Amino acid sequence: MNDRRDVHPLTHPDHLFTWLDVNQYFADLARDGGWPSWLQEVDAYWDSARFVVDPTVSVDVVWTWLRSALGPLTIEPHRGVLLLDDTNPDGPQRPLSIEIEAVGEVLPAERRPRWSDRRVVSELAEALPAPHPTLPHDVSIVAFHSFKGGVGRTLHCVAAARRLAELGRKVLLVDADLEAPGITWMVADSTRIDFAYEDFLALAHGATDAEYAEAVSLGRKFLANQEFDGIVVMPARRGHLRVGPPHIEPIDLLTTDRDPYVLTEALAKLGFAIGADVVLVDLRAGSSELSAPLLLDPRVLRVFVTTISDQSVRGTRQILNELARRAPANRPDDPDCALLLTQFHAAEHGDRLSDVVAELRDGALEVSGRSADPDDGDLPAADAAIPIMTSRFEPGLLNLPATWDEVMALIARLRLADVVDPLVEALPPVAATVPMPAKMEPTSVEDKRRNLADVADAMIYAEGSAETEFLTTDALRNLAEAHRTELPVEIVIGGKGAGKTFTFMQVCQRPDWASFIRDAGVHNASLTVPTVPVLASTNLHDESAELIDRRRATAAHDLTGRDPVSRQAIRDLIEEALARELTQVGWRRVWLTCFALSIGLEASPEDAEEILTNLARTRSVVFILDGLEDLFPSFAEKSREQDALQALLVGCPEWLRTLRGRPLGLVVFVRRDLALAAIRQNPGQFEKRYEKYALRWNTEEALRLAAWVCQRGKSLPNVSGEDVRTAAEAELSRRMSAIWGEKMGSAKSKEARSEVWFFAALSDFRGQIQARDIVAFLAEAAKESAGADSRWADRVLAPTAMRNALPKCSEQKIEAIRLENPPVRDLLDRLRDLDVARKKVPFRLESVDLSNEEARLLDTNGVVFREGDQYWIPEIFRHGLGFSVQGRPRVVAMAKLVRRRNDVSG
């Protein structure tokens, strides 16, 4: 019985207060190789301590060893007890009864990847059982861990996801910090969270199959709606505002009937199912069981993030020591771990940084199954195999932004993705192909002008456009990404001319919802559900109206085998309802009746809910509505029209969301003024709910729209539609110089830059620009450029033509806002009807008979801007109102002044 472990030097415990200390002492002793070969298991409880031994060992040997291990004052063989610490040695003692049980064969311990072992057995001296050599489908799992919080772990994990996505790799990013989630809060306001890590754990926990098919299937379906530019995000929990411990933890999966590495296996399968080749996991800080199942799997590339502070370094080193003992990466396919040191000043902390790197590198080498001995000839290669990354202190990281987009902007500004390049390079590569851009045949400048004029002119009004391709804006991308696997029940709000009807027509031109999503440039669309236009604008051209009716008829035949009622019949039904006093419930039933009639079902307000519910048991459909302004021309004054709109925009979505699984979808395209008039309580909250899908044009999207129109008009040389959709804003600006030149004159002139002038001329004084104004301007400017002076042969749009196009666009803009906003319409009419002598900018209010209140209304709508005691009118309104400028027009200067005002007020 005298093997190496019998003579292991023993360190007596300082204190044994409870039976927990007894178990912990013998567990530590086992891990250090301090058990004799005959000792098989220790099991202490509140009233006794059981020692399972080999039958061949004598009881005297056991007692002798126990006295040696715990001390003669702790073990009393004659009484058969272990004495716990007591405050009064002369008082009542605290004995723990010792039971020595001889067992011939002890069941092997079912050890799991967790920090606390359920049984104290001799196997604790050994590493955990090795998992299968590779993860399913060769998916790479990378886990970011830190001993202390606040070291930049989450931010650098997101930066790694960004860099991988930039390289064309699909990433599943998991927020596994169930107690203090970070990534979850980043995305909470950017998308609806349908599927979270807690959901996945609960589904995997309840699975009875080794493939976790239900967890993977549901994850694949709902995670498709949580993708951000190639990064699929699985937040920690759906209810991110919930305070409290997690409902389920990873160790709950570690039951004896499952593979010990169930979590990493299931995550790899989920990653493969959504098309990701890398799963990045942001773990809980510290030695938490929330992190153990991933850290203790040697197939996981483990990234340890720490500052150079003593606590953080010592804690990280201790974690490394534990992993080297429990779960070393010994096999050739096991990845080496990586180190990331953050928040240091190179000038002040250089020596300390070098010492920390050296210390932690040695620990990382041990985890990677390599020698840290300087005399080991394998050291140089081993040292190079450990990715060591450093991220200097940045003041901008002290106040992290709240949203995903803002975090991404911060990562880009501080170049944090560059920091994690060594980690990305350590991952197994995947083959990627980059499509070559399509080439276009060169044409003369006159041909380009004529083509651009024709195409843009046809696109001014959506109902007149034959275009089947469309530009994916942020709003449409959000709509598509959020509803790849779940039908939409959403309201799309847009001002007049924002592209509302055009987008409606694009949806209607596709046979099903999945086709629209795919054509919007979003992948993994699976809902081949028919889209049914219930209502449309009465101003559609014949060709577009016929397309709408064909789509309705086809969908109705597929869904019910019947013909739908006409769109006019539905309009008649609504107009009849407007003659009655209806409650919100009554109006909701009228709208549901319209939905049912549009697919050939026989329904009335009395039974529409039941009929649609029965349909939803077996079939799915997305109802699409546009043209509400035609139905409700007096929405600003008539409460019945407002009631009808409110029921459609609030009541119907609420009812549709009560249907389990959301089998019936709804997308309503509505002008902003109609929506705000209808929502009489908390209109701001309503607008906030749907703001991700609102049709607004920022400068980048406006520039991209202009480039897209020019590309469709074959005016941009060697540029494809994909180039326009994916190019950076700076690249688009460079490309558009071929359309309007560098300046509004020769390159050496003192004229404004053409792009700056373009935005200044078409924007109102709230910085807003409308899609229709952009397209109309390009059409008019292209027409005006025909036969232009040969000086402008280097560009499609001549400067004079651009200036001459603005008045016509201004007149169209005035008409649009007159129709959209009656209170503003009255003020615009008064300004337009003034005597010519009074119509000059800048002006004072008394010179144009405006009150302060009326001026504030115009200011709110971007029509005027106050500078001191004078007022200016933006170019897009000034020409249409017939106002002249005293002196040279200050187009760009005023735009800059307004932008500064908006930046301050915003």
Side-chain angles (χ1 to χ4, degrees):
M1 294 298 166
N2 293 322
D3 64 5
R4 181 177 59 83
R5 289 181 292 179
D6 290 328
V7 296
H8 189 281
L10 301 177
T11 301
H12 296 168
D14 291 331
H15 296 287
L16 294 176
F17 291 128
T18 69
W19 59 274
L20 293 172
D21 293 330
V22 176
N23 273 339
Q24 186 62 52
Y25 170 70
F26 283 103
D28 292 341
L29 203 61
R31 295 188 184 105
D32 291 338
W35 276 21
S37 57
W38 45 260
L39 181 58
Q40 299 178 14
E41 183 172 0
V42 176
D43 182 15
Y45 199 48
W46 66 274
D47 61 346
S48 64
R50 174 172 167 264
F51 292 84
V52 179
V53 301
D54 189 280
T56 60
V57 70
S58 70
V59 173
D60 290 340
V61 169
V62 176
W63 284 110
T64 299
W65 182 81
L66 287 174
R67 284 172 61 85
S68 175
L70 296 175
L73 296 180
T74 302
I75 296 294
E76 294 188 355
H78 64 283
R79 294 175 58 193
V81 297
L82 181 159
L83 297 178
L84 298 175
D85 286 15
D86 202 328
T87 57
N88 183 7
D90 299 327
Q93 295 180 324
R94 301 177 62 227
L96 198 66
S97 174
I98 291 180
E99 301 174 5
I100 300 175
E101 182 178 350
V103 177
E105 183 177 356
V106 178
L107 291 175
E110 292 283 349
R111 298 185 64 205
R112 305 278 150 173
R114 52 187 299 161
W115 294 122
S116 57
D117 292 276
R118 291 186 177 277
R119 294 175 60 189
V120 182
V121 292
S122 59
E123 288 95 329
L124 297 185
E126 305 166 0
L128 289 167
H132 187 274
T134 59
L135 286 163
H137 311 292
D138 291 324
V139 171
S140 296
I141 296 183
V142 183
F144 279 69
H145 181 262
S146 62
F147 178 75
K148 301 281 285 184
V151 300
R153 181 194 70 245
T154 298
L155 192 64
H156 287 86
C157 181
V158 175
R162 176 189 174 94
R163 177 47 49 90
L164 286 165
E166 289 173 346
L167 296 173
R169 301 184 70 164
K170 184 80 170 284
V171 181
L172 172 59
L173 178 61
V174 181
D175 189 350
D177 190 345
L178 291 169
E179 291 182 343
I183 296 171
T184 302
W185 283 85
M186 293 179 192
V187 302
D189 291 333
S190 301
T191 188
R192 186 181 70 245
I193 298 177
D194 288 325
F195 193 81
Y197 186 50
E198 271 193 338
D199 299 315
F200 184 69
L201 293 177
L203 289 164
H205 180 260
T208 57
D209 62 304
E211 296 301 318
Y212 314 103
E214 189 175 59
V216 171
S217 176
L218 285 170
R220 180 178 62 242
K221 175 179 179 180
F222 290 104
L223 284 174
N225 298 328
Q226 296 167 198
E227 180 174 340
F228 301 84
D229 299 321
I231 303 172
V232 178
V233 180
M234 183 159 66
R237 53 178 61 166
R238 271 181 287 156
H240 68 285
L241 298 177
R242 190 185 83 226
V243 175
H247 293 316
I248 188 168
E249 299 184 11
I251 57 171
D252 293 331
L253 275 62
L254 304 182
T255 55
T256 56
D257 58 332
R258 288 193 175 97
D259 185 289
Y261 301 94
V262 50
L263 181 55
T264 45
E265 295 274 327
L267 280 174
K269 291 173 181 177
L270 176 63
F272 178 76
I274 67 170
D277 66 281
V278 180
V279 178
L280 292 181
V281 186
D282 183 36
L283 294 173
R284 179 75 180 121
S287 54
S288 168
E289 295 289 15
L290 297 174
S291 303
L294 282 127
L295 283 181
L296 293 171
D297 188 335
R299 299 170 300 178
V300 173
L301 198 168
R302 296 163 283 195
V303 184
F304 298 96
V305 187
T306 177
T307 63
I308 60 174
S309 71
D310 184 68
Q311 286 186 14
S312 185
V313 172
R314 283 196 294 162
T316 302
R317 183 57 202 261
Q318 189 58 37
I319 293 289
L320 291 171
N321 291 343
E322 283 294 305
L323 292 180
R325 186 174 57 77
R326 293 171 180 252
N330 288 326
R331 295 175 301 189
D333 290 336
D334 291 340
D336 295 300
C337 61
L339 299 173
L340 172 59
L341 284 82
T342 64
Q343 300 180 11
F344 62 89
H345 287 286
E348 299 178 19
H349 304 137
D351 293 340
R352 170 63 176 161
L353 178 65
S354 299
D355 293 342
V356 170
V357 168
E359 178 182 354
L360 295 182
R361 181 207 58 199
D362 290 346
L365 288 171
E366 293 171 6
V367 174
S368 299
R370 303 176 186 271
S371 173
D373 187 344
D375 297 327
D376 194 323
D378 186 44
L379 182 58
D383 196 15
I386 304 297
I388 298 177
M389 299 160 283
T390 56
S391 183
R392 300 182 182 186
F393 172 78
E394 290 285 353
L397 299 181
L398 295 177
N399 182 23
L400 290 181
T403 69
W404 176 267
D405 289 341
E406 291 172 331
V407 169
M408 282 297 174
L410 179 66
I411 288 172
R413 186 169 69 254
L414 300 181
R415 303 179 66 86
L416 294 185
D418 294 346
V419 169
V420 296
D421 273 341
L423 171 65
V424 172
E425 292 167 2
L427 290 170
V430 292
T433 58
V434 179
M436 296 297 292
K439 301 294 182 181
M440 290 168 42
E441 293 297 325
T443 58
S444 69
V445 67
E446 285 299 323
D447 287 339
K448 291 178 181 178
R449 289 166 176 166
R450 184 169 54 253
N451 288 339
L452 177 56
D454 292 342
V455 169
D457 194 56
M459 294 173 66
I460 293 174
Y461 297 99
E463 57 271 18
S465 175
E467 286 289 331
T468 57
E469 294 187 26
F470 60 99
L471 183 67
T472 305
T473 63
D474 286 347
L476 294 184
R477 186 177 296 107
N478 291 339
L479 183 65
E481 288 181 341
H483 300 97
R484 278 176 279 201
T485 59
E486 185 176 65
L487 293 183
V489 178
E490 308 292 357
I491 311 299
V492 178
I493 303 171
K496 188 171 179 63
K500 180 173 58 66
T501 298
F502 180 76
T503 308
F504 165 80
M505 286 300 302
Q506 296 310 313
V507 177
C508 295
Q509 285 177 350
R510 273 74 188 171
D512 52 53
W513 182 249
S515 299
F516 171 73
I517 291 179
R518 285 193 295 269
D519 289 347
V522 176
H523 305 294
N524 301 329
S526 60
L527 294 169
T528 54
V529 174
T531 52
V532 176
V534 179
L535 284 171
S537 171
T538 57
N539 297 318
L540 293 176
H541 288 184
D542 291 344
E543 181 181 352
S544 298
E546 290 172 2
L547 183 148
I548 292 291
D549 291 336
R550 285 197 306 272
R551 178 68 58 227
R552 298 174 84 248
T554 300
H557 289 161
D558 291 343
L559 290 165
T560 65
R562 302 172 185 173
D563 291 327
V565 303
S566 68
R567 286 182 289 123
Q568 183 58 50
I570 289 179
R571 292 173 59 85
D572 292 343
L573 176 62
I574 296 171
E575 289 176 358
E576 290 171 4
L578 284 170
R580 306 193 303 272
E581 285 288 345
L582 293 178
T583 64
Q584 281 295 296
V585 173
W587 266 116
R588 183 186 74 203
R589 290 169 177 167
V590 169
W591 285 113
L592 295 178
T593 303
C594 296
F595 299 168
L597 295 174
S598 68
I599 55 174
L601 293 173
E602 295 182 3
S604 67
E606 288 72 31
D607 59 11
E609 292 180 351
E610 181 180 357
I611 288 174
L612 287 176
T613 301
N614 290 334
L615 173 75
R617 300 182 196 281
T618 57
R619 307 303 299 270
S620 291
V621 60
V622 182
F623 299 108
I624 315 291
L625 287 86
D626 185 39
L628 296 172
E629 59 274 14
D630 302 329
L631 266 177
F632 305 111
S634 305
F635 67 91
E637 300 88 20
K638 293 187 177 180
S639 60
R640 291 186 182 181
E641 294 189 7
Q642 295 169 2
D643 291 341
L645 283 166
Q646 183 176 2
L648 175 62
L649 302 179
V650 178
C652 289
E654 288 178 350
W655 186 84
L656 291 171
R657 291 186 185 113
T658 66
L659 301 178
R660 186 176 60 84
R662 200 170 291 182
L664 304 183
L666 174 67
V667 179
V668 180
F669 294 88
V670 60
R671 226 167 57 192
R672 182 173 181 267
D673 53 323
L674 271 76
L676 297 185
I679 310 302
R680 284 160 284 191
Q681 290 185 342
N682 298 322
Q685 183 179 354
F686 174 84
E687 198 169 13
K688 176 75 174 177
R689 177 171 189 171
Y690 298 108
E691 68 176 351
K692 290 187 299 182
Y693 315 128
L695 298 177
R696 298 190 185 96
W697 295 84
N698 57 36
T699 55
E700 179 179 346
E701 289 183 337
L703 181 64
R704 204 174 297 280
L705 173 62
W708 182 68
V709 174
C710 293
Q711 186 271 330
R712 301 301 297 164
K714 301 181 180 179
S715 302
L716 277 176
N718 301 324
V719 176
S720 67
E722 184 64 19
D723 292 335
V724 172
R725 285 189 288 270
T726 60
E729 185 175 3
E731 176 63 15
L732 286 176
S733 295
R734 187 185 68 79
R735 297 273 193 173
M736 285 299 290
S737 64
I739 298 297
W740 46 45
E742 291 293 335
K743 292 185 175 182
M744 293 292 289
S746 65
K748 295 182 179 180
S749 70
K750 295 183 179 180
E751 297 288 349
R753 288 183 56 234
S754 299
E755 181 182 314
V756 175
W757 183 93
F758 167 78
F759 284 114
L762 296 186
S763 299
D764 64 21
F765 276 168
R766 286 288 168 179
Q768 300 176 102
I769 190 169
Q770 293 288 31
R772 184 172 296 171
D773 297 336
I774 294 171
V775 179
F777 173 82
L778 293 173
E780 290 298 331
K783 294 175 189 175
E784 290 282 338
S785 297
D789 193 309
S790 59
R791 287 184 303 163
W792 313 120
D794 65 331
R795 63 191 72 179
V796 176
L797 304 181
T800 304
M802 292 173 68
R803 292 189 176 95
N804 291 341
L806 192 54
K808 294 182 180 180
C809 296
S810 180
E811 292 173 1
Q812 296 173 7
K813 179 72 171 181
I814 295 293
E815 288 306 311
I817 199 169
R818 288 182 74 257
L819 292 173
E820 183 177 355
N821 196 325
V824 173
R825 174 191 62 204
D826 296 339
L827 296 178
L828 293 178
D829 288 345
R830 280 168 50 189
L831 291 174
R832 189 162 55 179
D833 293 340
L834 288 171
D835 293 337
V836 174
R838 301 171 66 188
K839 297 200 298 186
K840 296 182 183 298
V841 291
F843 59 83
R844 289 184 171 83
L845 294 184
E846 58 270 17
S847 66
V848 294
D849 298 331
L850 285 179
S851 67
N852 288 325
E853 184 178 352
E854 291 169 334
R856 280 193 294 271
L857 177 60
L858 292 175
D859 187 1
T860 301
N861 285 273
V863 179
V864 299
F865 172 73
R866 181 178 179 179
E867 183 186 22
D869 60 350
Q870 294 184 319
Y871 287 80
W872 293 80
I873 300 178
E875 295 297 286
I876 193 63
F877 287 110
R878 181 178 70 81
H879 291 279
L881 293 174
F883 274 67
S884 60
V885 180
Q886 300 179 33
R888 182 181 174 85
R890 298 169 56 193
V891 178
V892 174
M894 287 306 303
K896 290 181 178 178
L897 184 62
V898 170
R899 186 168 61 250
R900 286 195 296 270
R901 189 274 306 265
N902 291 337
D903 289 343
V904 171
S905 63

